[in-house]
Amino acid sequence: MKKLLSMVTAAALAIPAAVITPPAYVNADNPAIQTIYSTDPAPMVYGDTVYLYTGRDADNSDNYHMPDWHCYSSQDMQNWTDHGMILSWDSFSWGKQDSAWAAQCIERNGKFYYYVTLENKSGGGRGIGVAVADSPTGPFKDALGKPLCGPDWAYIDPTVFIDDDGQAWLMFGNPTCYYVKLKEDMVTLDGEIKHFDMNKDTFGPSSKQSSYGEGPWFYKRGDLYYLVFAAFYGNDGGESLGYSTAPSPTGPWTYRGQVMRPHNCFTNHPGVIDYKGHSYLFYHDASLPGGGTFDRSVCIDEFTYGADGSIPTISPSKTGPKQLKSVDPFKRVEGETICFSKGVKTENCSNGGLDLANIEDGDYVKVSGVDFGSGAEKFTANIASATDGGNIEIYLDSLSGKKIGTCSVPATGGWQDWKEVSCDVSGASGEHDLFFKYTGGSGYLFNVDWWTFGDDEETPQTTTSPAPSGDSGDYLLSCSFESGDDGWEGRAGASVAVSSKASLTGSKSLCCSDRSSEWQGATYKLGSSFRAGESYSFSANVMYDEGSADSQLFHFTMQYDLDGTTKYDKIASASPMKGKWSQLANPSFRIPSGAENVYIYVETDKGSTSFYVDDVKIAAAGTEIEGAVGGQFILG
Ligand code: FUB
């Protein structure tokens, strides 16, 4: 039997956007994304980082016109780095134009599975599709060429979870919540699609079967399973959020209460995570200027569970969550790393990643919680301008706060013709919110790839072509792990932590643990100054001191995206003796032309032993970088 549009979806489509009036513009840190209208947040903690996956409402929409899905990442919960559009309705041969509704991504065995809602273009309703990638930021590809579930008008809003016993569960649906097991490959159903018993005791009171509407978010905390969902309780003008808990994934569910009251937008959609000891609710509202029921924006607020596992009723805040760690301005920061912005957009950058674009006179970007320590004296930015450029005015704490400098940006001949510009700054020390205000003539002024501060006249540390000078210290990258992880992360679920147990030089190194597969190692994303098509000298040092003394082959590998595929090339390999440091080095290794999203990482050819990494350095091609001796050395 042909299914009708569900009551909630029908109601959502019928409600005029004007019924709910968004609040006046405020300079706050919610909504978290300002460069697009973002929807249906799906956060994922992977390694040290929170990845935020969102849908997108087309500008000035009068309905749910949703062209694509986007990804952002943060390690501090205030500043989000934009990874751009990572998947679109037309990546699915069966998808109808602009029907890219809610989605969620999960990692399993080093691969990333993105479950999405799309309307089937040849009829029958919506369906759940699945796309797969080798990195959290894509590129994602339709894994099946057809819906995994559906088509069926009730099949929307997938949520996915892998239980402690390894069983993966997929749940979805409006206005009934369906569930099905997934096989280990994550793209095959394991059994029949069933649905929960929907009533007021299981999913809350309503004049309908239950208050459950759509947008389920399924997870486990301790021994308790949670389903947080978009809810209708009655004549309350829009969706609330509610939640139920259960002792098993299949129930029996007990309705526990309201998580958020209707706000300023007809729909809402939850995403819940724990990260670095804090709990966060992601949701969407209509609070960006020009926003409304069909131009929504993702927001984030922190909350605390009750001792009985209860979720409080959370009020949307203007400030968002507390920042977890400060930004180091002496490292390169991407232009598209933003706490709050006005007017600007992002676009693909020829140096890899994105850049900040569409900058006009009076636009600005706020970066929250920047720690200048004892002071900064120079500012450098990589910029491009096809017009006459303009100025970057730099303020502390607010747009009317202390002005610490103005950097003049010249014409460079093209929107992707990059040039470093520098200016002196004064009065920046300690921790501040940083405001970049862009000024100039009419039209678009310039683009920003990255920026950094220096602490003396010799800066910037962003020099892109150091002289090859052996161990003199002129490195493009030098990670000694003496004062932190230097931006390294666990790869594919492995953990990394600074360790004092072993070191090649200094007193610390990076320990990589929690490995169950050879490709789980320690990884670092190369910044945009490392140019595709150019060669560099690479060196890393490794040591293991546990497990069997059988020879272990270590690989220093480069991962990159090229022509829509993720590729892996060995830079160097070595077999150290147990307990002895060994160098993995290659004095001239070329980053392939066209490579994007370039990572370096250390892995082993087998086994799951923890290992240590120290003194990872990159210099100009031809530089001989000193390192440990030992092991059987194999160039990549
Ligand atoms: O964004 C389109 C739809 O609106 C989602 O799939 C629902 O959860 C609601 O947010």
Side-chain angles (χ1 to χ4, degrees):
M1 190 179 84
K2 190 177 166 196
K3 291 222 170 110
L4 295 174
L5 276 183
S6 77
M7 297 297 284
V8 175
T9 308
L13 294 175
I15 194 156
V19 166
I20 293 165
T21 316
Y25 175 72
V26 283
N27 176 14
D29 305 334
N30 265 330
I33 310 299
Q34 313 84 32
T35 48
I36 56 168
Y37 290 112
S38 58
T39 71
D40 304 314
M44 176 185 80
V45 178
Y46 180 65
D48 243 12
T49 304
V50 180
Y51 290 89
L52 166 59
Y53 298 85
T54 77
R56 175 165 78 91
D57 279 338
D59 291 359
N60 306 316
S61 269
D62 56 2
N63 209 322
Y64 297 102
H65 293 301
M66 304 183 63
D68 39 42
W69 294 277
H70 290 240
C71 184
Y72 305 81
S73 67
S74 177
Q75 293 186 343
D76 65 27
M77 297 304 292
Q78 273 280 327
N79 299 297
W80 292 89
T81 301
D82 193 340
H83 299 284
M85 193 266 277
I86 52 162
L87 191 66
S88 141
W89 67 269
D90 69 355
S91 316
F92 296 84
S93 56
W94 53 276
K96 186 170 169 193
Q97 183 167 359
D98 292 351
S99 70
W101 284 21
Q104 188 184 342
C105 184
I106 197 167
E107 182 269 344
R108 181 161 213 167
N109 297 332
K111 292 215 179 283
F112 297 82
Y113 298 90
Y114 202 11
Y115 299 86
V116 304
T117 312
L118 270 177
E119 188 171 335
N120 190 38
K121 73 177 175 196
S122 50
R126 298 195 170 82
I128 309 298
V130 55
V132 65
D134 292 318
S135 111
T137 53
F140 284 91
K141 270 181 77 171
D142 182 6
L144 299 173
K146 59 178 185 183
L148 172 65
C149 306
D152 184 315
W153 284 110
Y155 287 8
I156 68 168
D157 296 359
T159 179
V160 59
F161 173 72
I162 302 171
D163 208 346
D164 301 334
D165 61 2
Q167 180 61 60
W169 294 89
L170 186 68
M171 299 184 185
F172 51 87
N174 165 337
T176 292
C177 189
Y178 297 87
Y179 65 91
V180 63
K181 287 184 186 174
L182 293 173
K183 291 198 169 153
E184 165 101 25
D185 69 5
M186 299 297 279
V187 299
T188 314
L189 302 186
D190 190 1
E192 271 174 56
I193 298 174
K194 299 183 179 163
H195 66 80
F196 297 126
D197 185 11
M198 313 296 297
N199 60 56
K200 67 176 176 21
D201 297 324
T202 53
F203 293 107
S206 165
S207 54
K208 315 252 170 57
Q209 55 179 357
S210 81
S211 58
Y212 173 92
E214 55 184 356
W217 184 265
F218 177 54
Y219 65 101
K220 184 182 188 183
R221 212 167 170 268
D223 288 334
L224 198 59
Y225 294 84
Y226 287 75
L227 201 72
V228 184
F229 50 86
F232 280 101
Y233 293 96
N235 295 329
D236 37 13
E239 285 180 337
S240 300
L241 300 178
Y243 80 110
S244 301
T245 58
S248 86
T250 53
W253 290 97
T254 303
Y255 175 67
R256 298 284 297 269
Q258 204 168 12
V259 174
M260 184 171 276
R261 298 202 169 85
H263 184 27
N264 57 23
C265 169
F266 181 67
T267 62
N268 202 342
H269 191 110
V272 180
I273 53 163
D274 277 359
Y275 176 61
K276 294 185 178 167
H278 301 255
S279 302
Y280 299 98
L281 172 72
F282 292 65
Y283 56 98
H284 65 219
D285 73 5
S287 60
L288 203 62
T293 280
F294 305 119
D295 277 321
R296 300 163 288 177
S297 290
V298 167
C299 298
I300 310 163
D301 274 303
E302 188 173 346
F303 70 96
T304 308
Y305 287 90
D308 58 352
S310 55
I311 302 177
T313 305
I314 300 161
S315 299
S317 84
K318 299 277 180 257
T319 49
K322 201 165 65 125
Q323 187 164 340
L324 296 181
K325 71 172 186 186
S326 52
V327 173
D328 181 353
F330 303 106
K331 287 187 176 159
R332 191 166 292 183
V333 181
E334 294 298 321
E336 67 276 15
T337 297
I338 297 171
C339 170
F340 201 84
S341 65
K342 181 188 152 280
V344 300
K345 296 279 181 198
T346 58
E347 64 177 15
N348 288 333
C349 176
S350 60
N351 288 336
L354 301 189
D355 60 66
L356 195 70
N358 293 23
I359 297 173
E360 292 180 277
D361 182 46
D363 290 348
Y364 72 88
V365 162
K366 170 186 175 183
V367 181
S368 176
V370 178
D371 188 358
F372 291 98
S374 58
E377 292 176 15
K378 202 170 190 79
F379 170 78
T380 300
N382 201 31
I383 53 83
S385 175
T387 53
D388 293 336
N391 296 297
I392 305 175
E393 297 179 11
I394 311 165
Y395 297 86
L396 299 184
D397 304 320
S398 76
L399 284 173
S400 52
K402 181 198 248 178
K403 188 179 194 178
I404 59 169
T406 299
C407 210
S408 164
V409 176
T412 64
W415 293 118
Q416 296 292 322
D417 292 340
W418 298 101
K419 179 180 166 64
E420 290 179 24
V421 293
S422 292
C423 62
D424 291 339
V425 293
S426 65
S429 61
E431 188 164 329
H432 298 272
D433 292 340
L434 183 63
F435 285 77
F436 297 115
K437 181 176 173 188
Y438 310 106
T439 57
S442 59
Y444 296 144
L445 304 176
F446 49 86
N447 294 339
V448 180
D449 177 9
W450 51 258
W451 56 265
T452 190
F453 285 82
D455 55 7
D456 59 36
E457 288 299 314
E458 302 308 315
T459 52
Q461 55 155 256
T462 51
T463 313
T464 50
S465 49
S469 55
D471 245 8
S472 70
D474 284 337
Y475 296 111
L476 291 166
L477 179 79
S478 178
C479 304
S480 62
F481 310 111
E482 295 303 309
S483 55
D485 60 19
D486 292 339
W488 282 70
E489 296 178 351
R491 180 169 198 268
S495 306
V496 292
V498 171
S499 171
S500 309
K501 283 204 192 139
S503 63
L504 176 67
T505 60
S507 60
K508 292 179 185 141
S509 64
L510 189 76
C511 179
C512 178
S513 58
D514 295 335
R515 306 177 62 233
S516 50
S517 302
E518 54 272 28
W519 60 83
Q520 292 179 302
T523 188
Y524 178 87
K525 184 170 188 186
L526 293 188
S528 55
S529 61
F530 293 97
R531 297 185 197 285
E534 290 189 12
S535 298
Y536 301 90
S537 177
F538 291 83
S539 172
N541 298 275
V542 293
M543 195 272 276
Y544 73 103
D545 62 358
E546 64 175 37
S548 109
D550 289 354
S551 138
Q552 270 271 20
L553 188 59
F554 279 78
H555 301 295
F556 190 16
T557 310
M558 179 169 288
Q559 173 187 316
Y560 55 93
D561 297 333
L562 186 61
D563 300 332
T565 318
T566 302
K567 305 196 174 203
Y568 311 89
D569 292 345
K570 301 269 180 300
I571 301 170
S573 303
S575 298
M577 285 164 58
K578 184 176 174 184
K580 299 261 185 247
W581 284 94
S582 190
Q583 185 185 24
L584 305 163
N586 189 333
S588 185
F589 179 86
R590 190 163 158 271
I591 304 176
S593 295
E596 295 184 327
N597 294 323
V598 182
Y599 292 80
I600 51 174
Y601 64 96
V602 177
E603 59 181 343
T604 57
D605 73 328
K606 62 177 191 279
S608 54
T609 29
S610 299
F611 60 80
Y612 300 90
V613 182
D614 205 359
D615 293 351
V616 181
K617 294 178 180 174
I618 305 179
T623 307
E624 263 185 51
I625 302 174
E626 278 180 17
V629 252
Q632 182 203 355
F633 185 77
I634 307 157
L635 275 189

